[in-house]
Amino acid sequence: MMPAAPWTCSVFRGVDVSARKTMKDASKKQPSFSSVAIAGPGLLGGSLALAVRARMPHVHVRLWGRRPEPLEYALSIGAAHAVSTRVEEVVQGADLVVLATPVGVMLDIVTAMLPALKPGAVVTDVGSVKGCVHQSVGAVLTRAGVAFIGSHPMAGSEKQGMEHASAELFQGATCILTNDEHVHEDVLLLLQRFWERAGCHCIRMQAAVHDSTVARISHIPHALSALCVHSALDGGDVELLGLVSAGGFRDTTRVSMGEPSMWAEILTENSPAVLERLDAALAQLGDVRKFLAVGDKKSLAEWLKKAGKSRAQALGL
Amino acid sequence: MMPAAPWTCSVFRGVDVSARKTMKDASKKQPSFSSVAIAGPGLLGGSLALAVRARMPHVHVRLWGRRPEPLEYALSIGAAHAVSTRVEEVVQGADLVVLATPVGVMLDIVTAMLPALKPGAVVTDVGSVKGCVHQSVGAVLTRAGVAFIGSHPMAGSEKQGMEHASAELFQGATCILTNDEHVHEDVLLLLQRFWERAGCHCIRMQAAVHDSTVARISHIPHALSALCVHSALDGGDVELLGLVSAGGFRDTTRVSMGEPSMWAEILTENSPAVLERLDAALAQLGDVRKFLAVGDKKSLAEWLKKAGKSRAQALGL
């Protein structure tokens, strides 16, 4: 057997015509989801519900949550056709179940819904870390004969909750799909098309590659953004510092306003990959300290220059 | 003698009515600058020239630079009435001289212009670090009987050079004034009004306080922004990382695109204050590493929460 490629990357939106054809062929064989159950009426779950209602009018949307208030609100704004605090009620008859809760509670929810799942139902999640989701939820569902594919729509906001949900949240966002359980390609394409209709473009990769990728591009920026706030403000005159602050401080620290307990969860769930990058950051910060302490302007300028070049390369600037 | 307050802070734009009155009184005794010489046709010098032309039509603007090309360009867009590559020509008869060159070359330029300065001329600069400017330029000018006040208009861009200059660059920016040479209040108020007319609001502080303040609010964000690029991209698949990057990476790393040699200069010139903050950053990053390594989610969440709260406090969110 050939060793698997470390990651496969395919953009399906207006780029890869052959992939589009495959999708059309697949749609002839298998209809698209006609009923979607979303577990978790937070920012992501709520926004997904709104996006489905707005962009897939034929799809029946059901929403589960622990507390009735966000569900009632979701009903009142037309985000769902049906809501319930009983997960087994919500998933009954659903073709697609989307777990939009914190990663730490997904296994309990899946265990509760499992007996009520329709045969052939597909389960996915929207967690920011994928390895641990596959190890827990993916393993349980696969053993029960249910197809599980991980999803990570890379969309969000500093604002939390159903009341900040928007049908446009996923517009233009990248959605990473992790199919570590090797669910059949036809099912994967169905899920891909679902995310594309919600506004995303999809990339596939293995869960481990996903976790190392988001540690780099999302989790480390978050940690360093908070570090920047602490380094700038701790022990200083916060009022004066705010008065003289400009766009640099504002931009560099923007994401530090994310919900702290949610981010502590994410960083901890992805700790092996984040620690590897934190160690790299510590080593480089030590180097910068040395350059400054000895007045090595040349090395400092080279380090800064390389940062600018890498960023320009990554962002296509 | 009473010890000096560690810093004095006065916002003059629409806040302190008594200060405005003082300024009006001062303007009766002493006219505002009628001729301004700007040394250095870069982004800041060029933008200041344009701002003076646009907002102070009675003021004669002269521009000095080492190379003729940016000067010719400045003339062609009406940024200056007169230009020259000879600094002694440009400062002749000027009421205000603004040093808008890198800090490292200011002393040479001041030495060259000193014999040609008009009696009573005021000299300021726009450097990002103030302690070293006062120690070199401030000391030389004061010994020669010339009034020197430091200025730091906190405006800029990732883009460099006269061709990116804009009359609006200073609009709404904070300008820190450092009067460590204790120039007379009337002269200080004249300079303040000059910056206000250019679009800034002014704050006064001692040079040492300035340097520690900007180390926190500007230099550390710059260093950590570059650190974020390196930690995210070094040794990774830059193309893939760019593809999945979202606003978090983009914002946290934006300022890393600043001109590397200019920033290496700034960080080095302010190294005592920057090193103090880098050591704080290193210690905190070490703490975060520990929290993650032992799975101390609670301490991590508290650290993140405190960052969000401090930032909100500083920015009045």
Side-chain angles (χ1 to χ4, degrees):
Chain A
M1 207 176 96
M2 290 285 288
W7 58 272
T8 53
C9 164
S10 345
V11 180
F12 285 87
R13 200 155 246 246
V15 175
D16 189 337
V17 182
S18 64
R20 285 198 164 274
K21 277 191 192 144
T22 316
M23 276 166 53
K24 274 188 193 158
D25 295 346
S27 74
K28 280 179 204 156
K29 286 181 223 153
Q30 194 162 10
S32 59
F33 304 120
S34 61
S35 168
V36 173
I38 299 168
L43 181 78
L44 284 176
S47 295
L48 184 58
L50 285 169
V52 174
R53 294 287 290 121
R55 294 158 175 255
M56 303 172 227
H58 66 287
V59 176
H60 195 256
V61 178
R62 301 100 173 275
L63 195 57
W64 170 84
R66 232 177 263 284
R67 291 182 309 116
E69 293 80 5
L71 298 178
E72 281 156 20
Y73 176 71
L75 262 188
S76 76
I77 61 166
H81 296 97
V83 300
S84 173
T85 55
R86 299 188 56 206
V87 75
E88 63 277 23
E89 246 175 49
V90 164
V91 301
Q92 219 153 38
D95 301 315
L96 174 67
V97 175
V98 183
L99 307 169
T101 65
V103 166
V105 299
M106 283 180 188
L107 188 58
D108 286 350
I109 293 164
V110 164
T111 308
M113 72 171 60
L114 201 47
L117 282 177
K118 165 180 163 176
V122 179
V123 178
T124 190
D125 74 309
V126 298
S128 306
V129 184
K130 297 263 76 88
C132 57
V133 176
H134 280 278
Q135 276 161 32
S136 57
V137 170
V140 166
L141 287 169
T142 306
R143 268 202 301 278
V146 179
F148 175 76
I149 299 162
S151 303
H152 181 194
M154 298 189 70
S157 162
E158 296 96 84
K159 290 170 182 159
Q160 301 300 311
M162 183 75 209
E163 64 273 26
H164 295 113
S166 155
E168 299 306 309
L169 188 73
F170 302 103
Q171 189 54 47
T174 298
C175 181
I176 300 177
L177 298 179
T178 52
N179 186 19
D180 284 28
E181 275 75 22
H182 307 290
V183 169
H184 193 279
E185 180 72 16
D186 288 351
V187 179
L188 186 54
L189 284 171
L190 261 184
L191 183 62
Q192 243 165 229
R193 186 157 55 179
F194 172 78
W195 282 117
E196 285 172 10
R197 284 191 179 157
C200 298
H201 50 93
C202 293
I203 300 177
R204 303 178 190 184
M205 53 180 88
Q206 293 176 1
V209 179
H210 166 276
D211 287 355
S212 129
T213 301
V214 295
R216 285 171 173 272
I217 212 70
S218 166
H219 304 172
I220 281 293
H222 195 92
L224 294 183
S225 172
L227 181 69
C228 185
V229 176
H230 281 292
S231 312
L233 304 182
D234 285 5
D237 184 322
V238 173
E239 203 188 328
L240 172 68
L241 289 161
L243 199 62
V244 302
S245 69
F249 173 74
R250 193 175 275 268
D251 285 1
T252 310
T253 58
R254 184 182 61 80
V255 292
S256 71
M257 305 293 282
E259 213 283 297
S261 59
M262 186 189 85
W263 273 97
E265 290 273 354
I266 292 172
L267 295 171
T268 312
E269 280 150 5
N270 201 20
S271 63
V274 176
L275 277 171
E276 195 263 333
R277 288 290 91 203
L278 275 187
D279 286 339
L282 272 164
Q284 293 225 4
L285 200 52
D287 287 347
V288 171
R289 203 217 170 280
K290 256 181 258 164
F291 298 156
L292 260 190
V294 301
D296 183 355
K297 221 184 285 184
K298 201 173 153 238
S299 300
L300 193 56
E302 270 163 25
W303 183 78
L304 293 170
K305 190 177 174 184
K306 191 166 170 289
K309 276 181 85 170
S310 297
R311 182 177 185 271
Q313 192 192 336
L315 301 181
L317 303 175
Chain B
M1 207 177 93
M2 288 284 287
W7 58 271
T8 54
C9 164
S10 343
V11 181
F12 285 88
R13 202 157 243 248
V15 176
D16 188 337
V17 182
S18 65
R20 287 198 162 273
K21 279 192 189 142
T22 316
M23 277 166 50
K24 275 187 194 158
D25 295 347
S27 72
K28 279 177 203 156
K29 288 178 221 153
Q30 193 163 9
S32 60
F33 304 120
S34 63
S35 169
V36 173
I38 299 168
L43 180 78
L44 283 176
S47 296
L48 183 59
L50 284 170
V52 174
R53 294 287 289 119
R55 293 159 175 254
M56 302 172 228
H58 66 287
V59 176
H60 196 258
V61 177
R62 302 101 172 274
L63 195 56
W64 170 84
R66 233 176 260 284
R67 293 180 307 117
E69 293 81 4
L71 298 178
E72 280 156 20
Y73 175 71
L75 263 188
S76 76
I77 61 166
H81 296 96
V83 300
S84 173
T85 55
R86 299 189 56 207
V87 75
E88 63 277 23
E89 247 176 48
V90 164
V91 302
Q92 220 154 37
D95 301 316
L96 175 66
V97 176
V98 183
L99 307 169
T101 65
V103 166
V105 299
M106 283 180 187
L107 188 57
D108 284 350
I109 294 164
V110 163
T111 309
M113 72 172 59
L114 201 46
L117 281 176
K118 164 179 164 177
V122 179
V123 178
T124 190
D125 74 310
V126 298
S128 306
V129 184
K130 297 264 75 88
C132 58
V133 175
H134 280 278
Q135 276 161 32
S136 58
V137 170
V140 166
L141 287 168
T142 305
R143 268 201 302 277
V146 178
F148 174 76
I149 299 162
S151 303
H152 180 195
M154 297 189 71
S157 163
E158 297 95 82
K159 291 171 181 160
Q160 301 300 310
M162 183 75 209
E163 65 273 27
H164 296 114
S166 155
E168 299 308 308
L169 187 73
F170 301 104
Q171 188 54 47
T174 298
C175 182
I176 300 176
L177 298 178
T178 53
N179 186 18
D180 284 28
E181 274 75 23
H182 307 290
V183 168
H184 193 280
E185 180 72 15
D186 287 351
V187 179
L188 186 54
L189 284 171
L190 261 183
L191 183 62
Q192 242 164 230
R193 186 158 56 179
F194 172 78
W195 282 116
E196 285 173 9
R197 283 191 179 158
C200 297
H201 50 93
C202 293
I203 299 177
R204 303 177 188 183
M205 53 181 88
Q206 292 177 0
V209 178
H210 166 276
D211 288 354
S212 130
T213 301
V214 295
R216 286 172 172 272
I217 212 70
S218 166
H219 304 172
I220 280 293
H222 195 91
L224 293 184
S225 172
L227 181 69
C228 185
V229 176
H230 281 291
S231 310
L233 303 183
D234 284 6
D237 184 323
V238 174
E239 204 188 327
L240 172 68
L241 289 162
L243 200 61
V244 301
S245 69
F249 173 75
R250 193 175 275 267
D251 284 2
T252 311
T253 58
R254 184 182 61 80
V255 294
S256 71
M257 305 293 281
E259 215 281 298
S261 58
M262 185 189 87
W263 273 97
E265 291 273 354
I266 292 172
L267 295 172
T268 312
E269 281 150 3
N270 201 19
S271 63
V274 176
L275 278 171
E276 195 262 333
R277 286 291 91 202
L278 275 187
D279 285 339
L282 272 164
Q284 294 224 2
L285 200 52
D287 287 346
V288 172
R289 202 217 172 279
K290 256 181 260 166
F291 298 155
L292 260 189
V294 301
D296 183 355
K297 220 183 285 183
K298 199 172 155 238
S299 300
L300 192 57
E302 269 164 24
W303 184 78
L304 292 170
K305 189 176 172 185
K306 190 166 171 289
K309 276 182 86 170
S310 298
R311 182 178 186 270
Q313 193 192 339
L315 300 181
L317 304 176

